């Protein structure tokens, strides 16, 4: 893959993504589709005392989606769910030292799927 316009951090997370996979019976699950390209992202979380203790992602998205999801999982792990809800795609892109402008839409997936997973956790908790 040509390294045109991608930071070293993006390339590193793309080549060695963290927290890839699936959690069976997660406490929260989020799935979002990207309206721009049609790619899909899933995030699974395990939560204990409102802290995200484990997080995994699975995506059919591109390299930027993989890198941003990898970074989102790293930022979110160990955080309180209310703190994790504040993570924005802008935060993720800046942690990765930027993304090419035409790839910013890919970073929506990771942050949005994380937010969906937390909302899912919160709604399940209310039903208990
Ligand atoms: Fe679809 Fe990047 S092109 S997520």
């Amino acid at each position: 893959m040509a390294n045109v316009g991608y930071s070293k951090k993006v390339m590193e997370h793309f080549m060695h993504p963290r927290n890839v996979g699936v959690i069976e019976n997660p406490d929260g699950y989020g799935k979002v589709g990207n309206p721009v390209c049609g790619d899909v992202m899933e995030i699974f979380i395990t939560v204990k005392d409102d802290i995200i203790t484990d997080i995994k992602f699975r995506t059919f998205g591109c390299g930027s989606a993989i890198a941003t999801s990898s970074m989102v999982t790293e930022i979110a792990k160990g955080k309180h769910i209310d703190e994790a809800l504040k993570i924005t795609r802008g935060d993720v892109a800046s942690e990765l030292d930027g993304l090419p402008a035409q790839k910013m839409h890919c970073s929506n997936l990771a942050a949005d799927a994380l937010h969906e997973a937390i909302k899912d956790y919160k709604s399940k908790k209310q039903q208990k």
Side-chain angles (χ1 to χ4, degrees), residues 48-91:
K48 197 159 193 290
D49 299 330
D50 286 350
I51 303 288
I52 298 176
T53 55
D54 197 11
I55 178 164
K56 295 249 187 294
F57 78 91
R58 182 164 70 173
T59 185
F60 297 101
C62 66
S64 296
I66 292 170
T68 47
S69 322
S70 171
M71 182 52 92
V72 157
T73 59
E74 287 231 301
I75 301 173
K77 203 171 198 174
K79 274 211 166 42
H80 190 279
I81 48 167
D82 292 336
E83 288 299 310
L85 264 182
K86 291 185 204 150
I87 299 170
T88 65
R89 60 176 150 142
D91 295 336

Side-chain angles (χ1 to χ4, degrees), residues 82-104:
D82 292 336
E83 288 299 310
L85 264 182
K86 291 185 204 150
I87 299 170
T88 65
R89 60 176 150 142
D91 295 336
V92 181
S94 67
E95 280 291 332
L96 285 167
D97 297 335
L99 273 175
Q102 70 272 28
K103 284 285 169 185
M104 279 305 286

Side-chain angles (χ1 to χ4, degrees), residues 34 36-40 59-65 103 105-107 109:
N34 191 326
V36 180
C37 62
D39 290 334
V40 175
T59 185
F60 297 101
C62 66
S64 296
K103 284 285 169 185
H105 72 90
C106 311
S107 66
L109 280 183

